[in-house]
Amino acid sequence: MDSRQLLVDTMGELMWERGYADTSPRNVRERSGVGQGSMYHHFPTKRDLALAALERNVADLLPAASELDGPGAPMARIEAYLMRPRDALKGCKVGRMTQDPQVREDPVLLAPVARAFAQVHVSWVKALREAIAAGELRDDLDPEHLAHTLMAVLQGGYVLAIAQQDPGPFDGARAGVLDLLRAAAPSVPNHENNRRNRTP
Amino acid sequence: MDSRQLLVDTMGELMWERGYADTSPRNVRERSGVGQGSMYHHFPTKRDLALAALERNVADLLPAASELDGPGAPMARIEAYLMRPRDALKGCKVGRMTQDPQVREDPVLLAPVARAFAQVHVSWVKALREAIAAGELRDDLDPEHLAHTLMAVLQGGYVLAIAQQDPGPFDGARAGVLDLLRAAAPSVPNHENNRRNRTP
């Protein structure tokens, strides 16, 4: 691996573990083994390196969210994405950047985080619309709101789990919202209506 | 106000705004106007001051959550607590401490955060149980899980709002979960069953 990539990966890990404010260029050099000269050649400032590391962490997050767009019944995809194994005590490598004052007060550093969340929201809305169209969810629910709800359950679940140093609240939060989604199945399936409507 | 209280209040504000790692004793002295001698008399270390400030921030959070225990129909209390005005872009003064690596790796500093969340969870569970008993929510829902879900929606809503620098995702997340709660009203009211059961 070249030293540039090694620096970016190391900074990405350290920002996830310790945040931006608490990670020094020295920490990055010590963990990566890359020398000071090479570091400043690739990244004149800590902020330059952080921006590259954020883009890298976002690139890790987005393919996972694309599972929402995969094949299969929409609710099955929604459930699979919601319930897939996650390290609750480590939290989200993108979401936790919002808590770092030096990141959230810097529009350039915050931009990749905002972009990533907007993109995941689009995937959620699409899957939820498909679930409504397939008669798996009541059609009086707002998929835009619900997408925020489901993203918030995951992001907030991390906060609760870290506070208790226990993955239980994270798992409880997503089990609870899954039960609510199941309770929000329509009493008369929409696809029955659609099928009836399509019958000549 | 005495200098001790002024130090605690100032540290509480700075930890909310900037986190623990990023707040120096000097920042606290400059904002509070309390001198170095007095500061070290009351709080020999930054950690001592942080612990007092955390306890203070927790004491601010808990009375709000006690609204959940108030009079009135349980779902009306749940809705009022969920929807009351909150500064989405500032986030939760207790929850955001979980994102500070120096707090989350320090069991002493994390303890008041864990205790506060556990206490709020108890209030949520109680209100949700009452909503189920009153026939406002289906009785196959798990109030322990659902309490984590609702806490996560708020904590995660802050994360989304800060990422976008827009309170919209916070408000969307809570509107979405409120719609799900309403969709999870039982088709046959439980209290009707209870009343029938009590009839001699």
Side-chain angles (χ1 to χ4, degrees), chain A residues 69-120:
Chain A
D69 302 325
M75 268 299 285
R77 278 183 268 138
I78 287 169
E79 179 169 340
Y81 181 70
L82 198 60
M83 303 310 280
R84 78 191 175 83
R86 292 163 200 266
D87 189 343
L89 297 185
K90 266 195 105 173
C92 171
K93 59 172 78 169
V94 176
R96 65 161 302 188
M97 293 302 112
T98 61
Q99 304 297 319
D100 205 311
Q102 294 184 15
V103 174
R104 67 170 162 182
E105 287 163 12
D106 184 333
V108 172
L109 290 181
L110 201 54
V113 178
R115 216 164 42 235
F117 276 12
Q119 203 166 329
V120 174

Side-chain angles (χ1 to χ4, degrees), chain A residues 15-194:
Chain A
M15 286 178 78
W16 191 12
E17 291 167 22
R18 311 206 51 79
Y20 175 69
D22 219 23
T23 297
S24 69
R26 186 195 190 127
N27 297 146
V28 181
R29 290 198 304 273
E30 283 176 357
R31 186 180 289 194
S32 66
V34 175
Q36 188 157 2
S38 173
M39 184 179 203
Y40 290 116
H41 165 71
H42 292 298
F43 300 103
T45 69
K46 175 182 158 186
R47 184 167 171 267
D48 294 322
L49 176 55
L51 186 58
L54 274 170
E55 300 280 8
R56 181 212 171 282
N57 285 355
V58 164
D60 272 1
L61 178 79
L62 291 180
S66 72
E67 285 172 25
L68 280 169
D69 302 325
M75 268 299 285
R77 278 183 268 138
I78 287 169
E79 179 169 340
Y81 181 70
L82 198 60
M83 303 310 280
R84 78 191 175 83
R86 292 163 200 266
D87 189 343
L89 297 185
K90 266 195 105 173
C92 171
K93 59 172 78 169
V94 176
R96 65 161 302 188
M97 293 302 112
T98 61
Q99 304 297 319
D100 205 311
Q102 294 184 15
V103 174
R104 67 170 162 182
E105 287 163 12
D106 184 333
V108 172
L109 290 181
L110 201 54
V113 178
R115 216 164 42 235
F117 276 12
Q119 203 166 329
V120 174
H121 186 257
V122 166
S123 295
W124 269 116
V125 170
K126 187 166 169 287
L128 289 161
R129 274 194 213 289
E130 288 167 3
I132 291 170
E136 296 178 315
L137 278 179
R138 284 164 57 141
D139 55 10
D140 58 351
L141 293 169
D142 180 329
E144 300 273 342
H145 287 172
L146 220 46
H148 288 309
T149 302
L150 293 163
M151 291 173 70
V153 165
L154 294 175
Q155 295 294 327
Y158 291 130
V159 172
L160 304 180
I162 292 165
Q164 306 289 359
Q165 288 295 295
D166 171 8
F170 180 80
D171 289 326
R174 51 190 189 163
V177 85
L178 187 60
D179 283 346
L180 286 178
L181 286 175
R182 286 176 178 153
S187 36
V188 179
N190 300 329
H191 65 100
E192 290 296 318
N193 293 332
N194 295 342

Side-chain angles (χ1 to χ4, degrees), chain B residues 10 31 48 55 57 64 73 79 86 96 102 105 114 119 125 143 160 164 169-170 172 176 199:
Chain B
T10 306
R31 186 180 292 194
D48 295 322
E55 299 282 6
N57 284 355
E79 179 170 342
R86 293 163 202 264
R96 65 162 301 190
Q102 294 184 13
E105 287 162 12
Q119 203 165 330
V125 170
L160 304 181
Q164 307 290 358
F170 180 80
T199 307

Side-chain angles (χ1 to χ4, degrees), chain B residues 195-200:
Chain B
R195 214 175 292 160
R196 273 201 296 275
N197 294 343
R198 276 200 304 273
T199 307

Side-chain angles (χ1 to χ4, degrees), chain B residues 111-128:
Chain B
V113 178
R115 217 163 42 237
F117 276 11
Q119 203 165 330
V120 174
H121 186 256
V122 167
S123 296
W124 269 115
V125 170
K126 187 166 170 288
L128 289 162

